[in-house]
Amino acid sequence: MGDKRAGLLYGFAAYGMWGLFPLYWPLLEPAGAGEILAHRMVWSLVVVAALLLVLRRWAWLGELIRQPRRLALVAVAAATVSVNWGTYIWAVNAGHVVETSLGYFINPLVTIALAVLVLHERLRPVQWAAVGIGFLAVGVLAVGYGRLPWIALVLAFSFGSYGLVKKKIAMGGLESLAAETSVQFLPALVFLLVLGGRGDSTFASHGAGHATLLALAGFVTAVPLVCFGMSANRLPLSTLGLLQYLAPVFQFLIGILHFHETMTGEQWIGFLLVWAALVLLTVDALRTARRSRARLARARASAAAQDPESAEIGTA
């Protein structure tokens, strides 16, 4: 199997599993969102630590401990992803699956907005147009929902901020998750112990099956991340950019077809506007990637024409 085909399979597996999350969290009821979130944090560290132990990838830990600034950024990443996870779990179990999908649909637009506001990046006209359409969509959706789509906005901004911080940390997926869940572990464990002490924990009181499902939250968190890492190493960024839309598409379809959530006319218009903005972004990204490849090919051809001996050595 070629690298590209394997990368596509790993990518489909990663985004497919993320897209199917709305089917998993309701299985953990009657546990509340807080208890589910705490178990996800605790068991994720257990699973990731086991993987790193098997792979013998511990060298990064000593380097991280000696860098206080990166440690602080890891803590910020842990806080933002905790907000994202907690909001998502609560929203799914409260019957807002479609709105969670909206959050991940608009996440690329939020990422671009954060790049302008925080990193002071300059946007191309098409990107500005996409962001403008995104803001218009939020206004239309506010009318459709009778409120700001705050669930979608919290998910989009928390995940966008998380991505921004992770870019500054510059760590691998497994290592990053291990560091972040290490920060989350102690507060989550204390929360679970307090919950158990008050008699409000469902872990030991609803049978072995329920306890197993709660523990599997760590496995469910880690496996898609491993698949994503294997995909990212084999596929160009433009292909990964297209695959990322699989997860919210699956979530949207699950919300409509499985959970039978209803959509008003204004909500459909808002979603259509978001999808139109994403089409603009995707076309612009593909065009830019194609132009970059063409410029690189011309540069190589020019270098080969000026120094044919080095070109022959480079292709030998």
Side-chain angles (χ1 to χ4, degrees), residues 35 191-206:
E35 184 179 3
F191 176 82
L192 291 175
L193 291 174
V194 170
L195 204 65
R198 286 174 13 198
D200 294 330
S201 172
T202 66
F203 184 73
S205 60
H206 284 72

Side-chain angles (χ1 to χ4, degrees), residues 140-164:
V140 172
L141 286 163
V143 174
Y145 282 108
R147 56 171 174 80
L148 273 177
W150 66 267
I151 295 171
L153 293 174
V154 169
L155 290 174
F157 275 95
S158 60
F159 198 74
S161 301
Y162 176 63
L164 187 66

Side-chain angles (χ1 to χ4, degrees), residues 25 32-34 36-37 40 84-94 155:
W25 304 123
I36 295 171
L37 175 62
R40 186 178 188 184
N84 184 271
W85 286 0
T87 303
Y88 184 79
I89 292 168
W90 173 85
V92 167
N93 286 359
L155 290 174

Side-chain angles (χ1 to χ4, degrees), residues 7-146:
L8 284 171
L9 289 176
Y10 284 125
F12 276 113
Y15 286 107
M17 283 185 276
W18 281 325
L20 295 176
F21 270 11
L23 297 176
Y24 180 71
W25 304 123
L27 299 178
L28 306 184
E29 292 179 332
E35 184 179 3
I36 295 171
L37 175 62
H39 276 288
R40 186 178 188 184
M41 292 172 174
V42 168
W43 294 108
S44 290
L45 179 59
V46 173
V47 172
V48 175
L51 286 173
L52 290 174
L53 186 62
V54 171
L55 297 173
R56 298 181 181 179
R57 282 162 53 176
W58 293 105
W60 58 274
L61 187 56
E63 297 175 6
L64 180 63
I65 292 173
R66 291 190 296 269
Q67 298 176 359
R69 183 175 179 276
R70 288 182 82 196
L71 277 173
L73 288 173
V74 167
V76 173
T80 54
V81 81
S82 297
V83 171
N84 184 271
W85 286 0
T87 303
Y88 184 79
I89 292 168
W90 173 85
V92 167
N93 286 359
H96 300 289
V97 175
V98 170
E99 192 173 347
T100 65
S101 75
L102 175 64
Y104 293 106
F105 276 128
I106 66 176
N107 179 65
L109 302 173
V110 168
T111 300
I112 289 174
L114 289 174
V116 174
L117 295 173
V118 179
L119 302 178
H120 307 292
E121 293 184 6
R122 298 181 65 181
L123 299 186
R124 295 183 292 275
V126 174
Q127 291 176 310
W128 276 116
V131 171
I133 294 172
F135 277 109
L136 176 62
V138 170
V140 172
L141 286 163
V143 174
Y145 282 108

